[in-house]
Amino acid sequence: MKKIAIELKWGIIFFAAVLLWAVFEKSIGLHDERIDKHYFLTNFFAIPAIIIYVLALLDKRKWLGGKMTWSQGFLSGLIIAVIVSLLSPIGQYLTHEYLSPDYFANIIEYSVSEGKDREQMEAFFNLGSYIKQSMIGAVMMGAITSAIVAFFTKKS
């Protein structure tokens, strides 16, 4: 456990950032009256996500005595991504059951009003689908981000 203490810490920090981002989205109306802008604006979460990964890998480098290879940084970032992936079902549940319980109904209605098929939208916009998407997305985007950030944070 001590070997991945840094990754566990930053995985939890990342998870907290995801929850705070959901609160932010809800507070500015992206889950209801401005749902038409959600698909675009939600991508801005990439900024705090990258910052968190940079801080995490710098923390890992410090923990390693100031030196870190690309492989060590990438592996550390990948472990963070797996931790975030494992926590993501909890985040999705909290977001869609408590913070924004009308989100799926709102996005389905918006999508149908834009000419999309209701059955397809109901199959896509639901808790089970979002849990799967968030788990896969956390690992995929985490791996890409880790590969890039590890390149810039490595130090011999």
Side-chain angles (χ1 to χ4, degrees):
M1 193 64 142
K2 203 172 188 181
K3 281 187 167 188
I4 64 163
I6 299 289
E7 292 81 1
L8 190 57
K9 174 179 101 173
W10 286 100
I12 292 169
I13 289 169
F14 193 99
F15 174 70
V18 168
L19 291 178
L20 287 173
W21 187 264
V23 169
F24 170 70
E25 285 185 349
K26 173 72 174 166
S27 71
I28 64 169
L30 294 181
H31 293 186
D32 36 58
E33 66 264 7
R34 292 188 184 100
I35 203 156
D36 60 317
K37 293 170 180 46
H38 183 261
Y39 184 74
F40 172 72
L41 294 176
T42 196
N43 292 313
F44 282 97
F45 180 70
I47 296 166
I50 292 166
I51 291 168
I52 290 169
Y53 268 85
V54 168
L55 294 173
L57 294 189
L58 288 173
D59 194 17
K60 183 65 174 190
R61 186 174 78 190
K62 182 179 171 188
W63 187 81
L64 290 169
K67 296 181 181 181
M68 182 175 72
T69 65
W70 178 87
S71 299
Q72 289 171 314
F74 177 68
L75 181 60
S76 179
L78 202 53
I79 293 168
I80 292 168
V82 169
I83 291 166
V84 171
S85 177
L86 293 173
L87 291 172
S88 67
I90 298 166
Q92 291 297 322
Y93 180 80
L94 293 172
T95 298
H96 297 293
E97 291 296 319
Y98 297 103
L99 175 65
S100 193
D102 296 327
Y103 173 77
F104 292 127
N106 292 340
I107 192 67
I108 289 168
E109 288 309 314
Y110 170 72
S111 299
V112 169
S113 76
E114 291 289 304
K116 308 282 188 198
D117 179 69
R118 180 175 294 280
E119 284 185 29
Q120 288 179 338
M121 296 302 97
E122 288 173 352
F124 185 76
F125 293 114
N126 62 69
L127 185 58
S129 174
Y130 265 44
I131 286 173
K132 288 177 198 166
Q133 290 176 57
S134 68
M135 291 183 79
I136 293 167
V139 173
M140 287 176 44
M141 294 310 295
I144 292 167
T145 304
S146 297
I148 296 166
V149 172
F151 178 79
F152 291 103
T153 57
K154 67 183 180 181
K155 191 173 185 182
S156 351

